[in-house]
Amino acid sequence: MSRWKGLPESLDQRVRQLVVQLRRLKDHSGLSLVSLAARTSYSKSSWERYLNGKKLPPRDAVAALARVCDADPTRLLALHEVAAQAWGAAAAPEAGRAADPADAADPADPPDPGGGPDATGAKEGAPRPAGGPRVRTGSLVVLAALGVVVVAAVALLIVRPWQQDAAGRGTAGTAAGRTAGAVPAFTHRVGETSDCRLTRGPGGLSAGRSRTTTAILGSGATGWDVVEAQCLLHHHGYDPGPVDGIVGENTQRAVKRLQAGAGLPTDGIVGPDTWQVLRR
């Protein structure tokens, strides 16, 4: 059994779950990092970064580890999908912070004095060197625009109520449906909850919010798939808290209890195996 270093405290829980599962699989196989590198297209140093939470492993690396360890990659790839979303969300603000010092160090472009050299030392009419002040000033504009988009998106999630169909019940939306205006998107207002009316059909139990049996719902996930899962959890006697379409701590605890009772890995993530139990 390898003696692993502790993972960074700042590592998102969803990424942590993936790394822990990859470590367990590697330890169970008995392969060293050198052996792992020899049997995959990824170097020993790459695997060291992946398995110590320093870098998110590519999807192909996760599949390769499952292959050389004779394991089913389905659950690992589901965890990777959730981890990739968390990693991308964490990387965006870091990229913005990394750009700030360079932008702050250069003032706005001064006017070029007529007939003489400009601020870069080039003669009048000569092209400015790449990476000069104008390029960095432009990056400030791009960052400001991204900030406006993020603020607008957060405001929509907090302020707008759930959209409902003519019957007053939420429906699952798709990108195509939202474009055509045929299917409302999931939106949420703080304190908004949904009722649960379960029926049984050819696909098993349904609350009428989503028909999915494959959606991956990790911590922080939102949408009608989450509402469906919360209703089904209530039906099976596992209280997820308010049926609000958001995977929070209460919902994760309920999922773990359901998984434990069904003999599934208790990771608190709703995936294909958990959906099968929910729809029984």
Side-chain angles (χ1 to χ4, degrees), residues 237-269:
Y238 301 97
D239 184 11
V243 181
D244 55 5
I246 302 174
V247 176
E249 292 182 359
N250 290 335
T251 299
Q252 281 193 299
R253 280 195 293 268
V255 172
K256 289 180 180 179
R257 291 196 296 270
L258 174 83
Q259 291 170 330
L264 298 175
T266 56
D267 55 12
I269 298 174

Side-chain angles (χ1 to χ4, degrees), residues 52-221:
N52 283 295
K54 299 176 182 178
K55 186 176 181 180
L56 182 72
R59 189 176 190 276
D60 289 344
V62 174
L65 178 62
R67 184 180 67 255
V68 300
C69 296
D70 296 324
D72 183 359
T74 304
R75 182 166 175 270
L76 285 176
L77 293 176
L79 289 175
H80 180 272
E81 183 177 350
V82 175
Q85 296 174 357
W87 190 277
E94 289 297 330
R97 284 194 290 272
D100 288 344
D103 290 336
D106 290 292
D109 289 349
D112 294 344
D118 65 8
T120 66
K123 291 292 184 181
E124 182 181 4
R128 287 177 178 262
R134 287 182 180 172
V135 175
R136 286 190 287 269
T137 302
S139 68
L140 280 173
V141 176
V142 173
L143 289 172
L146 287 173
V148 171
V149 172
V150 172
V151 171
V154 172
L156 282 174
L157 288 173
I158 295 176
V159 176
R160 292 184 62 190
W162 293 1
Q163 297 180 359
Q164 296 180 323
D165 59 15
R169 299 180 64 188
T171 55
T174 64
R178 288 195 291 274
T179 302
V183 182
F186 175 90
T187 52
H188 177 256
R189 183 172 60 195
V190 175
E192 191 84 24
T193 58
S194 180
D195 62 322
C196 297
R197 302 174 184 175
L198 270 65
T199 59
R200 185 176 293 277
L205 280 174
S206 172
R209 307 296 181 169
S210 169
R211 296 181 180 178
T212 186
T213 57
T214 59
I216 306 299
L217 308 178
S219 175

